[in-house]
Amino acid sequence: MSKEKKSKFITRDILKSSILGAFKKLNPRYMIKNPVMFVVEIGFVVTLLLCFFPGLFGDEGANLVLYNAIVSVILLITVLFANFAEAVAEGRGKAQAESLKKTQKDMQARILSEDGAESIVSASTLKKGDVVLVKVGELIPNDGEVIEGIASVDESAITGESAPVLKESGGDFSSVTGGTTVVSDWLKVRIMSNPGESFLDKMIALVEGASRKKTPNEIALNTLLVSLTIIFLIVIVTLYPIAVYSGVRLQISTLVALTVCLIPTTIGGLLSAIGIAGMDRVTRFNVIAMSGKAVEVCGDVDTMILDKTGTITYGNRMAAKFIPVGSTGEQDLIHYSVVSSIKDDTPEGKSVVELGERLSGKHQEAITGMEFLEFTAQTRMSGVDLPDGTKIRKGAYDAIQKYVQELGGTIPGDLEARVNEVAKLGGTPLVVSVGNRILGIIYLKDTIKAGLVERFARLRAIGIKTIMCTGDNPLTAATIAQEAGVDSFIAECKPEDKIQAIKVEQAEGKIVAMTGDGTNDAPALAQANVGIAMNSGTQAAKEAANMIDLDSDPTKILDVVEIGKQLLITRGSLTTFSIANDVAKYFAIIPAMFMAVIPQLGVLNIMGLSTPYSAILSALIFNAIIIPLLIPLAMKGVKYRPMRAEKMLSRNMLIYGLGGIAAPFVGIKLIDLLITPLLAALGM
């Protein structure tokens, strides 16, 4: 995740807005959306009433008024801490949204009428289908498709990348984003979105959390927390008559304290913050998720479908070796290969010259009067004609073979075997001829991106299957797949083959992720559970996907899956920790409630807490302060380690399960030691 934007966990502005937000969220209409914390707020109201009306439920005594007041304050702090956690997560998103809003200036647009006449209008009045002309130095007023012209566009306001991107009509690089700047030439753009519906508008709304909805997993977990809360409420309500029957007088505030300590308040207070922070982490990694569900689904991905060129390999084939055939010497092959490539400005041609000069130790100048023939799809070869009539050609095996035979030449007996050897290695064989004689082969190699082999091994370790899609022949595809370490491949792949591969995996109940940038990728992006479109790609691809990578780096899908995994692991780990906490709180409060009447329960006072009051208040205070202590973990996420699900579950149960039990024993005891003298001074 090397491209992730680094930022402070919390700035002064975020802290200020979060504190204010924590109080604003006390509104019951907002709190009821979080049932667990709503119960805590009701508990605060009940204990607050008992401060002013101590005999309301039959509880009397000066000490009880003070006790009720302390419980009331701790419950208020608990709710505020939970609200603060969510406000911090939202504050980080809003801070980023503000930086995006700076690109939304009151822009002017040069709109073109059907007869070609220009008129200046406000960009906010543009609607889908309008055609605008954008000249050098001007901002593109809204999202659209280039229909005429070619120009460099500065997208740094959106992507953070300083290098301009070439945009032109047709192809996979015709999509432009509102708020970016034309830095050369001009573009005629057809607007593809109405006001308020642009890509930038959607980004701002999502980052701010304004359109964030609870994900299916969040809803399921929330249902579990509500169920646990209801169960504990039923238990505590029935506890009161049982206590009366046993001769124990329980204060209402003590029952409220027991309720708050036993219901899963820790995860209840952090659940929204974890979800918001998950989307925030993806956004800071320069990927825009169209919903929280998209981020969450990434954590459940079973299969990843990746293009070969530009994703697994760099895409630029470079000369790696010269292979002479027949009786040709290596130096002759190198010499003629370099001469044929001297005026070839393609990356392949330049690499041939560079490798040839390095191996021969000679620098080759262009020969005066030589005529260069560019590669075409029809001839599938390039080369040079020298002034003395010598014709040097380099190209595809079958094209050169046919060319030489037409000139009356013969094919070396070892040529086909050498060509197949190169193909088996995953390379491209470029055959070189002089006149009607074939000299040998230039081995062009498409290099695997650094670190990908290890990344695929990590994905395999957590049970994710990788499938490479390529237009190469099966022989070449198999070699590249083996070298990269992917699990399987689809050779000579067409757009419909990708869709079929996705459907096959989904039919087996698997969650599938894929990347794409072209219009022909749109159906597959829509079919996949997680579709990541490149920002440099077409509008169709971006509309079909549920994530957009602003950096247009196809390998980003690997990182996004890890972020999704981290989100699920964080939520699961903190849920485990929260529920485990309740075990220790049970040993703090239950003995304190009944020891006076049933001394035998003193054996459960494992922590050796001083008094019933100190035991209950210590448990409440710990319950409150554990929420802000866990906010950094909720924001940053539990560290992700690639491993099998069973091993990961065992590890997290050990750390967060046992840790969740042990932490309250230590924390409650320390708090008890601190507050006992204070309570004694207050006569409690």
Side-chain angles (χ1 to χ4, degrees):
M1 302 182 188
S2 57
K3 291 185 181 179
E4 186 172 1
K5 298 175 185 175
K6 302 295 182 185
S7 61
K8 291 183 179 179
F9 166 64
I10 186 167
T11 63
R12 183 178 297 179
D13 289 339
I14 292 176
L15 178 62
K16 184 178 177 182
S17 65
S18 298
I19 292 173
L20 186 62
F23 282 94
K24 287 182 178 178
K25 290 176 185 289
L26 289 173
N27 188 327
R29 286 182 298 179
Y30 182 86
M31 289 300 299
I32 201 168
K33 296 176 183 177
N34 186 343
V36 177
M37 297 315 299
F38 185 59
V39 169
V40 180
E41 186 173 46
I42 291 173
F44 157 68
V45 173
V46 170
T47 52
L48 184 64
L49 286 172
L50 290 172
C51 294
F52 297 100
F53 309 100
L56 188 62
F57 298 104
D59 299 335
E60 296 181 359
N63 282 349
L64 281 180
V65 174
L66 181 58
Y67 172 63
N68 292 339
I70 295 172
V71 170
S72 182
V73 169
I74 296 172
L75 294 182
L76 175 61
I77 291 171
T78 303
V79 177
L80 288 174
F81 279 160
N83 289 349
F84 178 76
E86 186 173 355
V88 167
E90 290 175 348
R92 282 163 63 88
K94 287 177 181 176
Q96 190 175 6
E98 287 303 317
S99 66
L100 293 172
K101 284 179 180 178
K102 291 177 183 177
T103 64
Q104 284 193 315
K105 303 172 183 176
D106 184 19
M107 292 181 287
Q108 299 293 308
R110 187 180 285 103
I111 190 169
L112 300 177
S113 59
E114 292 183 4
D115 59 4
E118 295 181 16
S119 58
I120 305 298
V121 299
S122 172
S124 61
T125 64
L126 293 175
K127 59 185 183 298
K128 190 173 182 178
D130 287 342
V131 176
V132 297
L133 177 66
V134 190
K135 297 183 178 180
V136 62
E138 296 178 349
L139 289 171
I140 294 172
N142 207 335
D143 298 352
E145 292 273 3
V146 177
I147 58 174
E148 191 178 330
I150 179 170
S152 294
V153 177
D154 178 5
E155 296 185 330
S156 59
I158 304 295
T159 67
E161 288 290 332
S162 56
V165 180
L166 195 66
K167 297 289 184 179
E168 58 184 323
S169 59
D172 293 343
F173 296 93
S174 60
S175 172
V176 289
T177 306
T180 56
T181 308
V182 174
V183 293
S184 75
D185 304 291
W186 57 271
L187 293 173
K188 194 178 288 186
V189 178
R190 178 177 286 110
I191 301 300
M192 301 299 290
S193 62
N194 291 314
E197 298 175 0
S198 71
F199 177 57
L200 197 58
D201 289 316
K202 291 175 184 175
M203 283 172 61
I204 292 169
L206 287 163
V207 171
E208 284 183 322
S211 60
R212 181 181 178 273
K213 296 179 180 178
K214 286 186 177 180
T215 63
N217 279 355
E218 260 185 302
I219 293 170
L221 181 55
N222 206 50
T223 302
L224 172 64
L225 299 182
V226 170
S227 300
L228 289 174
T229 301
I230 292 171
I231 290 169
F232 281 120
L233 282 172
I234 293 170
V235 169
I236 289 161
V237 167
T238 57
L239 191 63
Y240 187 80
I242 292 172
V244 171
Y245 179 79
S246 303
V248 179
R249 183 70 177 178
L250 293 179
Q251 291 82 23
I252 296 300
S253 49
T254 297
L255 290 173
V256 170
L258 178 61
T259 304
V260 170
C261 284
L262 292 187
I263 64 176
T265 50
T266 305
I267 187 63
L270 294 172
L271 186 57
S272 292
I274 293 169
I276 295 169
M279 285 193 68
D280 182 56
R281 278 196 296 276
V282 171
T283 305
R284 289 175 186 277
F285 198 60
N286 249 11
V287 174
I288 297 300
M290 293 299 135
S291 68
K293 182 181 178 181
V295 181
E296 191 175 83
V297 171
C298 285
D300 291 325
V301 165
D302 300 300
T303 304
M304 291 176 60
I305 296 180
L306 307 121
D307 280 324
K308 185 203 80 170
T309 306
T311 302
I312 295 174
T313 64
Y314 286 104
N316 290 333
R317 300 172 302 167
M318 300 299 178
K321 189 178 180 181
F322 294 99
I323 305 171
V325 295
S327 59
T328 305
E330 184 180 32
Q331 289 301 317
D332 281 345
L333 173 60
I334 292 173
H335 171 71
Y336 284 110
S337 296
V338 171
V339 171
S340 70
S341 305
I342 275 253
K343 290 190 174 182
D344 187 348
D345 290 330
T346 65
E348 293 90 343
K350 290 177 180 178
S351 72
V352 170
V353 174
E354 184 181 335
L355 179 65
E357 291 182 346
R358 188 168 72 246
L359 293 178
S360 67
K362 301 174 184 177
H363 177 65
Q364 177 69 53
E365 294 287 348
I367 298 171
T368 305
M370 68 188 300
E371 183 183 348
F372 175 64
L373 284 82
E374 291 188 5
F375 177 90
T376 65
Q378 289 75 30
T379 62
R380 297 173 64 218
M381 67 176 78
S382 65
V384 293
D385 290 343
L386 301 182
D388 63 2
T390 303
K391 298 180 184 293
I392 309 171
R393 299 288 185 270
K394 67 177 193 293
Y397 163 59
D398 53 344
I400 294 294
Q401 185 182 42
K402 182 180 178 182
Y403 171 77
V404 168
Q405 287 174 336
E406 287 176 351
L407 294 177
T410 57
I411 308 302
D414 58 346
L415 177 62
E416 186 174 357
R418 294 285 183 266
V419 167
N420 287 336
E421 284 175 12
V422 171
K424 285 179 182 178
L425 291 171
T428 300
L430 205 60
V431 179
V432 180
S433 69
V434 176
N436 65 355
R437 185 166 66 95
I438 292 177
L439 303 183
I441 300 164
I442 303 172
Y443 171 18
L444 297 179
K445 186 177 181 182
D446 195 356
T447 311
I448 303 292
K449 288 187 176 181
L452 273 192
V453 175
E454 293 77 12
R455 298 279 288 281
F456 287 137
R458 289 173 65 185
L459 291 172
R460 192 175 298 107
I462 57 176
I464 294 179
K465 177 183 176 182
T466 48
I467 300 175
M468 179 187 78
C469 292
T470 176
D472 291 335
N473 62 67
L475 211 57
T476 302
T479 305
I480 292 287
Q482 184 177 7
E483 187 178 345
V486 295
D487 296 307
S488 63
F489 64 90
I490 303 172
E492 298 174 345
C493 182
K494 300 181 287 295
E496 53 268 28
D497 295 331
K498 292 182 184 179
I499 299 174
Q500 184 58 33
I502 293 170
K503 288 181 177 179
V504 168
E505 294 293 318
Q506 289 174 333
E508 296 176 5
K510 295 179 180 178
I511 305 297
V512 183
M514 77 157 288
T515 61
D517 59 1
T519 300
N520 61 349
D521 289 325
L525 287 169
Q527 179 67 39
N529 302 91
V530 179
I532 303 182
M534 302 300 101
N535 190 45
S536 61
T538 62
Q539 193 73 21
K542 287 194 275 190
E543 288 176 358
N546 49 20
M547 285 187 169
I548 298 174
D549 174 22
L550 301 181
D551 294 327
S552 299
D553 176 5
T555 62
K556 193 80 72 69
I557 189 171
L558 304 173
D559 302 292
V560 171
V561 166
E562 291 190 356
I563 291 173
K565 291 279 185 190
Q566 187 183 38
L567 170 64
L568 296 180
I569 292 167
T570 301
R571 188 182 294 151
S573 298
L574 292 184
T575 300
T576 303
F577 184 88
S578 175
I579 294 173
N581 265 208
D582 296 339
V583 176
K585 295 170 194 171
Y586 174 88
F587 284 101
I589 294 184
I590 296 297
M593 292 170 65
F594 292 97
M595 265 195 306
V597 177
I598 311 173
Q600 292 86 346
L601 284 177
V603 72
L604 294 178
N605 188 17
I606 299 171
M607 289 176 258
L609 303 177
S610 306
T611 66
Y613 284 141
S614 73
I616 293 167
L617 294 177
S618 296
L620 265 185
I621 292 170
F622 176 84
N623 192 66
I625 64 174
I626 196 65
I627 294 175
L629 290 178
L630 289 175
I631 290 176
L633 185 61
M635 296 292 103
K636 295 179 181 178
V638 173
K639 188 173 181 180
Y640 170 75
R641 298 175 189 274
M643 61 182 73
R644 290 283 177 184
E646 308 81 35
K647 188 176 179 181
M648 191 181 300
L649 177 63
S650 301
R651 179 180 179 275
N652 287 342
M653 286 294 287
L654 182 67
I655 295 173
Y656 295 97
L658 292 181
I661 293 173
F665 276 94
V666 177
I668 291 172
K669 180 60 180 176
L670 289 175
I671 295 169
D672 178 72
L673 293 173
L674 289 173
I675 69 170
T676 297
L678 296 175
L679 294 177
L682 294 171
M684 296 178 67

